[in-house]
Amino acid sequence: MKITGVIPQLRTMNLDSTIQFYTTKLGLELAFRYEDFYAGIRAGDQLFHLKLADEQDPSIPFTQDGDHFHLYLQTEDAAGLAEELKARGVTLTRDVCETEWNTKEFIVLDDQGHTIYFGEAL
């Protein structure tokens, strides 16, 4: 068996707002939209899905309280990307820092509260 990709899915209570956050604020690309309840966001060669839900994703408080993440997006220049996102009005919940595991990372929350890490291998 050959796996050709892994596609995570995030739940949103407002699909339009979440699409706008990922495309306008983070600069990612809308890959597709299916009716009023489903969409795909392209991040480089990767894809993740958004699904409309009636209730907040129950993993959001758990993830925030446990210092976990919903998505980890790898980049070649974490500091440069952080400055670019700040200029677009994105608030970093953790500013750029070097980690003990030899990465440079920062964190943002999306419009629904999902924790998004951006990381650069050092």
Side-chain angles (χ1 to χ4, degrees), residues 22-23 27-32 40-44 47:
Y22 282 102
T23 58
L28 303 179
E29 176 186 338
L30 179 63
F32 70 87
I41 301 293
R42 183 162 306 285
L47 190 69

Side-chain angles (χ1 to χ4, degrees), residues 8 17 25 29-30 33-35 48 55 59 65 72 76 81 84 87-88 97 102 107 122:
S17 174
K25 294 289 188 177
E29 176 186 338
L30 179 63
R33 182 171 182 156
Y34 182 73
E35 297 183 355
F48 61 93
E55 297 176 359
S59 71
D65 291 344
Y72 190 103
E76 294 178 346
L81 180 57
E84 184 180 322
R88 290 188 195 149
C97 64
N102 208 26
I107 303 171
L122 296 177

Side-chain angles (χ1 to χ4, degrees), residues 6-75:
V6 175
I7 301 174
Q9 180 188 77
L10 300 178
R11 295 167 44 149
T12 175
M13 293 173 48
N14 185 329
L15 188 61
D16 290 330
S17 174
T18 303
I19 289 171
Q20 182 176 3
F21 176 82
Y22 282 102
T23 58
T24 304
K25 294 289 188 177
L26 297 189
L28 303 179
E29 176 186 338
L30 179 63
F32 70 87
R33 182 171 182 156
Y34 182 73
E35 297 183 355
D36 292 332
F37 71 92
Y38 210 79
I41 301 293
R42 183 162 306 285
D45 293 334
Q46 308 302 312
L47 190 69
F48 61 93
H49 291 180
L50 305 173
K51 183 177 183 181
L52 186 63
D54 293 332
E55 297 176 359
Q56 181 188 42
D57 184 338
S59 71
I60 289 172
F62 174 83
T63 301
Q64 290 176 0
D65 291 344
D67 200 26
H68 306 298
F69 59 81
H70 290 95
L71 295 176
Y72 190 103
L73 304 177
Q74 295 177 309
T75 182

Side-chain angles (χ1 to χ4, degrees), residues 77-90 92 95-96 106:
D77 180 11
L81 180 57
E83 290 306 313
E84 184 180 322
L85 296 184
K86 287 178 191 177
R88 290 188 195 149
V90 176
L92 277 56
D95 213 339
V96 178
F106 67 93

